Amino acid sequence: MGIETFDRSLWSALTPALDAGPSLQGDHDTDVLVVGAGFLGLSTALHLAEAGVRVTVLEAEQPGFGASGRNTGFVVPSLKTAFGPADVRDALGETGDRLTELVGSSGNLVFDLIRRLGIECSAEQTGWLQPAHTGAVMKVLEQRQADWLALGRGVDILTPEETAEMVGTPGYHGALLDRTGGQINPLAYARGLAAVARRLGANLFWKSRVTKLQRNGGRWLAETAAGGVRADRVILTTNALVGGLVPEVEASMIPVRVHQVATAPLSPELGATILPMRTPVADTRRHTFAVRWSPDGRLVTGGLVLPGPANLRRATRIFSRRLERAFPMLGQVRIDHVWNGVIAATLDSLPRFMSVEPGLDAVIGCNGRGVALTTALGRDIARLHTGEIDISAFPLPHKAPTPVPARAITRHGPSFWLPWSDFRDRLDGRRG
Ligand SMILES: Cc1cc2nc3c(=O)[nH]c(=O)nc-3n(C[C@H](O)[C@H](O)[C@H](O)COP(=O)(O)OP(=O)(O)OC[C@H]3O[C@@H](n4cnc5c(N)ncnc54)[C@H](O)[C@@H]3O)c2cc1C
């Protein structure tokens, strides 16, 4: 597993602590039990509590402890580049159209929610910029713009010159700019969602890892070390950290560790040159170069590192060099924070809404695009429970879990994918 890095992240350093919640002691009864307090579990609980449903959340550590409190904080209103609206329709039929609509609206949904609930999380709706590293990928982005326009949603295509101005470095073939995206402090967002959910009446227990889930007389019983919760319905939102709790759910995804680094605070002059509009950037390389400004004037970036000892040191070296190459005006970069988190990856990059057993559902697998999507899915799960929408109107198929094929081998895929992708990206760079 490596060293636990939650407390080392920039977000832990910047975010005021949340009043420690109680941990579960003794027996407790509820209508809906949510297991896991990441964005997905918290958005589900918040929207259920808002609708007046009795809801309880059991969290193994604290709200935002998983990927939600450690990510880059990009609010991205799209799936991965290769997955445009037509591809999602091919994969999921009409349900895919609903997923596309949900994803397309998810940027505004997050920022509207933050404003409506008054969550302090350094939210900046400065857009989301995806620069193309080759001419061929630029054509794909132009097609994406046409796809979104056909659905009545405007996104902009930038020229190479406009892109260079927005990124602060030349060399890209243009970019797609989605003005509904932006950036947040993800841990502050998670803690904010938790505080509001609690205020609205959700019962939120920390340090309450569910060790066993069993059906009992038509209801569910979730056991923790010091108590138990009986519920009519359980929603599992543990994402990659599910462990052995529900083996079918664990087998349906591949955990992938992603590293993040934050530089020392940089000068205002650099702030006026690099990403001067404070628009977060994630380019189209296979091993994406993603970079943003933090609220306190640091650059934050990251990606995959081959697993092994000293990978925090290697992440520091690799990602500081990447920054120095992209922005030579930085000179030698000093890294103040390095941390990592785990995403739940699916082979087709689509999330799963799994019907595990009657009354037990699991929603996982938002891959690396989970800030906006989990918030939106949580809202819709709550709507499903209150009857506001029917299962046939949900933006994902509701199916039994299916294991990732040959998972014992596939789970090592990122170790092979990374050097190959870096090599192909370098090749593209030379050709470009
Ligand atoms: C380094 C990194 C960078 C990323 N950057 C971005 C980005 O910029 N933009 C973007 O859109 N997405 C990004 N992602 C992906 C995004 O963070 C995730 O898709 C999203 O946070 C998943 O949220 P979640 O609520 O499903 O799961 P998580 O946030 O992982 O929450 C799961 C929770 O379940 C709890 N849990 C697990 N087991 C139990 C149990 N037995 N009992 C009780 N609780 C349990 C865990 O403690 C955890 O708090 C990134 C991910 C990583 C790791």
Side-chain angles (χ1 to χ4, degrees):
M1 276 294 282
I3 302 165
E4 175 44 61
T5 58
F6 180 75
D7 291 332
R8 299 183 181 207
S9 86
L10 171 65
W11 311 123
S12 285
L14 290 183
T15 310
L18 186 64
D19 288 344
S23 66
L24 183 72
Q25 305 288 331
D27 292 337
H28 182 87
D29 198 280
T30 191
D31 291 341
V32 182
L33 170 65
V34 175
V35 182
F39 298 144
L40 190 42
L42 291 168
S43 172
T44 305
L46 186 149
H47 286 98
L48 281 172
E50 207 165 30
V53 175
R54 277 196 321 155
V55 56
T56 297
V57 183
L58 292 177
E59 163 54 45
E61 296 293 335
Q62 60 167 289
F65 181 80
S68 297
R70 310 171 186 227
N71 59 60
T72 329
F74 289 10
V75 179
V76 185
S78 70
L79 295 169
K80 72 173 193 178
T81 319
F83 243 111
D87 309 294
V88 182
R89 175 169 251 270
D90 284 349
L92 301 179
E94 275 180 26
T95 307
D97 293 343
R98 286 193 289 277
L99 180 61
T100 295
E101 201 187 318
L102 186 84
V103 168
S105 62
S106 61
N108 278 336
L109 186 140
V110 168
F111 288 106
D112 288 348
L113 192 71
I114 288 169
R115 279 188 287 266
R116 178 166 74 81
L117 302 175
I119 295 176
E120 300 281 341
C121 60
S122 307
E124 301 175 71
Q125 197 166 17
T126 43
W128 177 72
L129 188 72
Q130 191 178 31
H133 74 295
T134 67
V137 183
M138 192 58 221
K139 296 231 167 339
V140 177
L141 295 186
E142 283 162 3
Q143 179 58 49
R144 281 297 156 272
Q145 182 196 36
D147 293 342
W148 283 122
L149 273 178
L151 295 169
R153 203 169 89 77
V155 294
D156 296 325
I157 289 291
L158 305 191
T159 63
E161 295 72 27
E162 289 166 336
T163 307
E165 209 167 297
M166 277 197 81
V167 182
T169 189
Y172 286 113
H173 293 245
L176 183 143
L177 172 63
D178 190 327
R179 295 182 193 275
T180 66
Q183 58 188 13
I184 54 171
N185 167 342
L187 182 58
Y189 180 49
R191 287 180 176 168
L193 289 174
V196 177
R198 217 193 241 166
R199 208 165 59 225
L200 291 170
N203 285 302
L204 181 49
F205 294 105
W206 297 16
K207 295 274 176 201
S208 302
R209 175 178 296 281
V210 176
T211 50
K212 194 171 174 189
L213 275 170
Q214 56 180 319
R215 274 190 93 189
N216 204 323
R219 301 192 80 210
W220 281 89
L221 173 63
E223 291 177 16
T224 69
V229 176
R230 281 179 204 286
D232 297 330
R233 185 160 176 215
V234 178
I235 302 162
L236 201 70
T237 60
T238 52
N239 210 37
L241 305 180
V242 59
L245 181 62
V246 183
E248 307 94 294
V249 172
E250 187 182 18
S252 69
M253 59 88 202
I254 299 173
V256 179
R257 189 168 290 275
V258 182
H259 282 77
Q260 299 282 282
V261 301
T263 65
L266 299 167
S267 70
E269 292 73 37
L270 287 168
T273 318
I274 300 170
L275 319 184
M277 322 291 281
R278 295 185 65 83
T279 304
V281 165
D283 76 11
T284 55
R285 271 178 268 197
R286 292 166 189 82
H287 190 196
T288 304
F289 175 56
V291 61
R292 62 166 286 180
W293 283 109
S294 69
D296 64 340
R298 304 163 192 268
L299 285 174
V300 180
T301 187
L304 297 185
V305 173
L306 286 177
N311 56 7
L312 293 182
R313 269 210 303 279
R314 279 187 297 128
T316 304
R317 198 179 62 241
I318 291 167
F319 298 119
S320 55
R321 295 290 167 276
R322 225 180 175 195
L323 277 178
E324 289 161 7
R325 274 199 306 275
F327 304 114
M329 58 285 231
L330 285 172
Q332 198 177 350
V333 162
R334 193 187 93 203
I335 298 295
D336 279 358
H337 296 268
V338 52
W339 69 98
N340 58 41
V342 187
I343 62 170
T346 53
L347 290 190
D348 59 8
S349 302
L350 289 172
R352 303 281 189 267
F353 177 33
M354 292 178 264
S355 168
V356 185
E357 282 189 50
L360 172 60
D361 289 334
V363 194
I364 63 155
C366 286
N367 292 268
R369 295 277 167 98
V371 173
L373 185 53
T374 49
T375 306
L377 284 172
R379 181 204 57 186
D380 280 7
I381 290 164
R383 284 181 171 172
L384 204 56
H385 185 85
T386 57
E388 200 178 320
I389 58 169
D390 180 73
I391 192 86
S392 61
F394 198 79
L396 287 172
H398 190 219
K399 285 191 185 160
T402 43
V404 171
R407 188 168 182 269
I409 300 167
T410 326
R411 62 173 298 148
H412 299 295
S415 303
F416 299 102
W417 177 90
L418 183 59
W420 173 240
S421 298
D422 280 341
F423 170 70
R424 298 277 307 278
D425 287 339
R426 275 200 298 275
L427 216 59
D428 285 344
R430 282 207 197 110
R431 285 195 193 117

Short mmCIF file of all heavy atoms in Angstrom, two decimals, residues 346-382:
data_model
loop_
_atom_site.label_atom_id
_atom_site.label_comp_id
_atom_site.label_asym_id
_atom_site.label_seq_id
_atom_site.Cartn_x
_atom_site.Cartn_y
_atom_site.Cartn_z
N THR A 346 -12.32 1.46 -14.51
CA THR A 346 -13.03 0.38 -15.21
C THR A 346 -12.43 0.31 -16.62
O THR A 346 -11.91 1.32 -17.11
CB THR A 346 -14.53 0.69 -15.30
OG1 THR A 346 -14.71 1.99 -15.86
CG2 THR A 346 -15.19 0.64 -13.93
N LEU A 347 -12.50 -0.84 -17.24
CA LEU A 347 -11.81 -1.00 -18.52
C LEU A 347 -12.38 -0.09 -19.61
O LEU A 347 -11.66 0.37 -20.48
CB LEU A 347 -11.87 -2.47 -19.00
CG LEU A 347 -11.02 -3.45 -18.18
CD1 LEU A 347 -10.97 -4.81 -18.87
CD2 LEU A 347 -9.61 -2.94 -17.92
N ASP A 348 -13.70 0.21 -19.53
CA ASP A 348 -14.29 1.09 -20.54
C ASP A 348 -14.40 2.53 -20.06
O ASP A 348 -15.02 3.36 -20.72
CB ASP A 348 -15.67 0.57 -20.97
CG ASP A 348 -16.64 0.49 -19.79
OD1 ASP A 348 -16.29 0.97 -18.70
OD2 ASP A 348 -17.75 -0.06 -19.96
N SER A 349 -13.82 2.83 -18.90
CA SER A 349 -13.82 4.19 -18.33
C SER A 349 -15.21 4.70 -17.96
O SER A 349 -15.38 5.88 -17.71
CB SER A 349 -13.18 5.22 -19.27
OG SER A 349 -11.88 4.84 -19.58
N LEU A 350 -16.19 3.83 -17.90
CA LEU A 350 -17.54 4.25 -17.51
C LEU A 350 -17.83 3.81 -16.08
O LEU A 350 -17.42 2.73 -15.67
CB LEU A 350 -18.59 3.62 -18.44
CG LEU A 350 -18.60 4.18 -19.87
CD1 LEU A 350 -19.53 3.35 -20.75
CD2 LEU A 350 -19.03 5.64 -19.87
N PRO A 351 -18.58 4.65 -15.33
CA PRO A 351 -18.94 4.24 -13.97
C PRO A 351 -19.96 3.11 -13.98
O PRO A 351 -20.59 2.84 -15.00
CB PRO A 351 -19.55 5.51 -13.36
CG PRO A 351 -19.85 6.41 -14.50
CD PRO A 351 -19.09 5.96 -15.70
N ARG A 352 -20.11 2.46 -12.85
CA ARG A 352 -21.05 1.35 -12.70
C ARG A 352 -22.07 1.65 -11.61
O ARG A 352 -21.71 2.16 -10.55
CB ARG A 352 -20.31 0.07 -12.28
CG ARG A 352 -19.19 -0.35 -13.21
CD ARG A 352 -19.74 -1.05 -14.45
NE ARG A 352 -18.66 -1.63 -15.23
CZ ARG A 352 -18.05 -1.01 -16.25
NH1 ARG A 352 -18.41 0.20 -16.60
NH2 ARG A 352 -17.09 -1.62 -16.92
N PHE A 353 -23.32 1.29 -11.90
CA PHE A 353 -24.39 1.34 -10.90
C PHE A 353 -24.83 -0.11 -10.73
O PHE A 353 -25.54 -0.65 -11.58
CB PHE A 353 -25.53 2.23 -11.41
CG PHE A 353 -26.72 2.32 -10.51
CD1 PHE A 353 -26.60 2.26 -9.12
CD2 PHE A 353 -27.99 2.50 -11.04
CE1 PHE A 353 -27.71 2.36 -8.30
CE2 PHE A 353 -29.10 2.61 -10.23
CZ PHE A 353 -28.95 2.53 -8.85
N MET A 354 -24.36 -0.74 -9.65
CA MET A 354 -24.52 -2.19 -9.54
C MET A 354 -25.63 -2.58 -8.58
O MET A 354 -25.73 -2.05 -7.48
CB MET A 354 -23.20 -2.79 -9.05
CG MET A 354 -22.10 -2.67 -10.07
SD MET A 354 -20.58 -3.35 -9.44
CE MET A 354 -19.80 -1.88 -8.86
N SER A 355 -26.41 -3.53 -9.05
CA SER A 355 -27.41 -4.14 -8.18
C SER A 355 -26.76 -5.40 -7.63
O SER A 355 -26.64 -6.40 -8.32
CB SER A 355 -28.63 -4.46 -9.03
OG SER A 355 -29.49 -5.27 -8.30
N VAL A 356 -26.30 -5.32 -6.37
CA VAL A 356 -25.53 -6.44 -5.82
C VAL A 356 -26.48 -7.52 -5.30
O VAL A 356 -26.35 -8.70 -5.61
CB VAL A 356 -24.59 -5.97 -4.69
CG1 VAL A 356 -23.70 -7.11 -4.20
CG2 VAL A 356 -23.73 -4.80 -5.15
N GLU A 357 -27.46 -7.07 -4.51
CA GLU A 357 -28.52 -7.95 -4.00
C GLU A 357 -29.73 -7.06 -3.81
O GLU A 357 -29.59 -5.83 -3.79
CB GLU A 357 -28.12 -8.54 -2.65
CG GLU A 357 -27.13 -9.69 -2.74
CD GLU A 357 -26.95 -10.36 -1.39
OE1 GLU A 357 -27.96 -10.70 -0.75
OE2 GLU A 357 -25.80 -10.50 -0.98
N PRO A 358 -30.92 -7.63 -3.62
CA PRO A 358 -32.07 -6.75 -3.38
C PRO A 358 -31.79 -5.80 -2.22
O PRO A 358 -31.39 -6.25 -1.13
CB PRO A 358 -33.20 -7.73 -3.05
CG PRO A 358 -32.79 -9.01 -3.71
CD PRO A 358 -31.29 -9.05 -3.66
N GLY A 359 -31.93 -4.51 -2.46
CA GLY A 359 -31.71 -3.52 -1.41
C GLY A 359 -30.26 -3.13 -1.21
O GLY A 359 -29.94 -2.29 -0.37
N LEU A 360 -29.35 -3.72 -1.98
CA LEU A 360 -27.93 -3.35 -1.87
C LEU A 360 -27.39 -2.96 -3.25
O LEU A 360 -27.24 -3.80 -4.13
CB LEU A 360 -27.10 -4.51 -1.30
CG LEU A 360 -25.58 -4.33 -1.30
CD1 LEU A 360 -25.15 -3.11 -0.48
CD2 LEU A 360 -24.87 -5.57 -0.75
N ASP A 361 -27.13 -1.66 -3.40
CA ASP A 361 -26.58 -1.15 -4.65
C ASP A 361 -25.16 -0.60 -4.40
O ASP A 361 -24.84 -0.21 -3.28
CB ASP A 361 -27.43 0.02 -5.19
CG ASP A 361 -28.78 -0.47 -5.72
OD1 ASP A 361 -28.86 -1.64 -6.13
OD2 ASP A 361 -29.73 0.33 -5.70
N ALA A 362 -24.37 -0.57 -5.45
CA ALA A 362 -23.04 0.04 -5.35
C ALA A 362 -22.82 0.94 -6.56
O ALA A 362 -23.21 0.59 -7.67
CB ALA A 362 -21.97 -1.04 -5.31
N VAL A 363 -22.24 2.11 -6.31
CA VAL A 363 -21.91 3.01 -7.42
C VAL A 363 -20.42 3.31 -7.32
O VAL A 363 -19.97 3.91 -6.33
CB VAL A 363 -22.69 4.34 -7.33
CG1 VAL A 363 -22.59 5.10 -8.65
CG2 VAL A 363 -24.15 4.09 -7.00
N ILE A 364 -19.69 2.87 -8.31
CA ILE A 364 -18.24 3.09 -8.28
C ILE A 364 -17.73 3.33 -9.69
O ILE A 364 -18.47 3.20 -10.67
CB ILE A 364 -17.46 1.90 -7.68
CG1 ILE A 364 -17.65 0.67 -8.55
CG2 ILE A 364 -17.84 1.63 -6.25
CD1 ILE A 364 -16.51 -0.30 -8.40
N GLY A 365 -16.43 3.65 -9.78
CA GLY A 365 -15.77 3.64 -11.09
C GLY A 365 -15.87 4.94 -11.87
O GLY A 365 -15.98 4.91 -13.09
N CYS A 366 -15.81 6.07 -11.17
CA CYS A 366 -15.81 7.34 -11.92
C CYS A 366 -14.43 7.64 -12.47
O CYS A 366 -14.18 8.73 -13.00
CB CYS A 366 -16.34 8.47 -11.06
SG CYS A 366 -18.12 8.37 -10.84
N ASN A 367 -13.51 6.69 -12.34
CA ASN A 367 -12.17 6.83 -12.90
C ASN A 367 -11.56 8.17 -12.47
O ASN A 367 -11.74 8.56 -11.33
CB ASN A 367 -12.23 6.66 -14.42
CG ASN A 367 -12.59 5.23 -14.82
OD1 ASN A 367 -11.71 4.42 -15.03
ND2 ASN A 367 -13.87 4.90 -14.87
N GLY A 368 -10.88 8.85 -13.39
CA GLY A 368 -10.24 10.13 -13.01
C GLY A 368 -11.13 11.33 -13.25
O GLY A 368 -10.66 12.46 -13.30
N ARG A 369 -12.44 11.12 -13.44
CA ARG A 369 -13.36 12.23 -13.74
C ARG A 369 -14.51 12.23 -12.74
O ARG A 369 -15.67 12.23 -13.13
CB ARG A 369 -13.90 12.08 -15.17
CG ARG A 369 -12.85 12.19 -16.26
CD ARG A 369 -12.57 13.64 -16.60
NE ARG A 369 -11.38 13.81 -17.42
CZ ARG A 369 -11.38 13.95 -18.72
NH1 ARG A 369 -12.51 13.92 -19.38
NH2 ARG A 369 -10.25 14.14 -19.38
N GLY A 370 -14.17 12.22 -11.46
CA GLY A 370 -15.22 11.96 -10.48
C GLY A 370 -15.69 13.13 -9.65
O GLY A 370 -16.60 12.96 -8.85
N VAL A 371 -15.12 14.32 -9.80
CA VAL A 371 -15.56 15.42 -8.93
C VAL A 371 -16.99 15.83 -9.28
O VAL A 371 -17.89 15.80 -8.43
CB VAL A 371 -14.60 16.63 -9.04
CG1 VAL A 371 -15.15 17.82 -8.27
CG2 VAL A 371 -13.21 16.26 -8.55
N ALA A 372 -17.21 16.16 -10.55
CA ALA A 372 -18.54 16.61 -10.96
C ALA A 372 -19.49 15.43 -11.11
O ALA A 372 -20.65 15.49 -10.70
CB ALA A 372 -18.43 17.38 -12.26
N LEU A 373 -18.98 14.34 -11.68
CA LEU A 373 -19.86 13.20 -11.99
C LEU A 373 -20.42 12.56 -10.72
O LEU A 373 -21.61 12.20 -10.66
CB LEU A 373 -19.07 12.18 -12.83
CG LEU A 373 -19.82 10.98 -13.36
CD1 LEU A 373 -21.07 11.39 -14.14
CD2 LEU A 373 -18.92 10.14 -14.26
N THR A 374 -19.59 12.41 -9.68
CA THR A 374 -20.10 11.78 -8.44
C THR A 374 -21.17 12.67 -7.79
O THR A 374 -22.16 12.16 -7.28
CB THR A 374 -18.96 11.57 -7.42
OG1 THR A 374 -18.23 12.79 -7.30
CG2 THR A 374 -18.05 10.44 -7.80
N THR A 375 -20.95 13.99 -7.85
CA THR A 375 -21.94 14.90 -7.26
C THR A 375 -23.28 14.72 -7.97
O THR A 375 -24.34 14.62 -7.34
CB THR A 375 -21.47 16.36 -7.41
OG1 THR A 375 -20.15 16.49 -6.86
CG2 THR A 375 -22.41 17.32 -6.70
N ALA A 376 -23.22 14.66 -9.30
CA ALA A 376 -24.45 14.53 -10.09
C ALA A 376 -25.11 13.17 -9.88
O ALA A 376 -26.33 13.07 -9.72
CB ALA A 376 -24.12 14.75 -11.57
N LEU A 377 -24.28 12.11 -9.84
CA LEU A 377 -24.86 10.78 -9.64
C LEU A 377 -25.50 10.66 -8.26
O LEU A 377 -26.56 10.05 -8.10
CB LEU A 377 -23.78 9.70 -9.81
CG LEU A 377 -23.37 9.39 -11.25
CD1 LEU A 377 -22.16 8.46 -11.28
CD2 LEU A 377 -24.53 8.77 -12.04
N GLY A 378 -24.87 11.26 -7.25
CA GLY A 378 -25.43 11.22 -5.88
C GLY A 378 -26.81 11.87 -5.86
O GLY A 378 -27.74 11.34 -5.24
N ARG A 379 -26.94 13.00 -6.55
CA ARG A 379 -28.25 13.66 -6.60
C ARG A 379 -29.28 12.73 -7.23
O ARG A 379 -30.40 12.59 -6.76
CB ARG A 379 -28.14 14.95 -7.41
CG ARG A 379 -29.45 15.71 -7.50
CD ARG A 379 -29.52 16.61 -8.71
NE ARG A 379 -29.33 15.86 -9.96
CZ ARG A 379 -29.23 16.42 -11.16
NH1 ARG A 379 -29.27 17.73 -11.27
NH2 ARG A 379 -29.07 15.68 -12.25
N ASP A 380 -28.89 12.04 -8.32
CA ASP A 380 -29.86 11.19 -9.02
C ASP A 380 -30.18 9.92 -8.24
O ASP A 380 -31.30 9.40 -8.33
CB ASP A 380 -29.36 10.87 -10.43
CG ASP A 380 -29.64 12.04 -11.37
OD1 ASP A 380 -30.09 13.11 -10.87
OD2 ASP A 380 -29.40 11.92 -12.58
N ILE A 381 -29.23 9.42 -7.45
CA ILE A 381 -29.55 8.25 -6.61
C ILE A 381 -30.59 8.65 -5.57
O ILE A 381 -31.53 7.92 -5.28
CB ILE A 381 -28.28 7.70 -5.94
CG1 ILE A 381 -27.40 7.06 -7.01
CG2 ILE A 381 -28.61 6.68 -4.87
CD1 ILE A 381 -26.00 6.84 -6.57
N ALA A 382 -30.43 9.85 -5.03
CA ALA A 382 -31.42 10.34 -4.06
C ALA A 382 -32.78 10.48 -4.74
O ALA A 382 -33.82 10.07 -4.19
CB ALA A 382 -30.97 11.68 -3.48
#
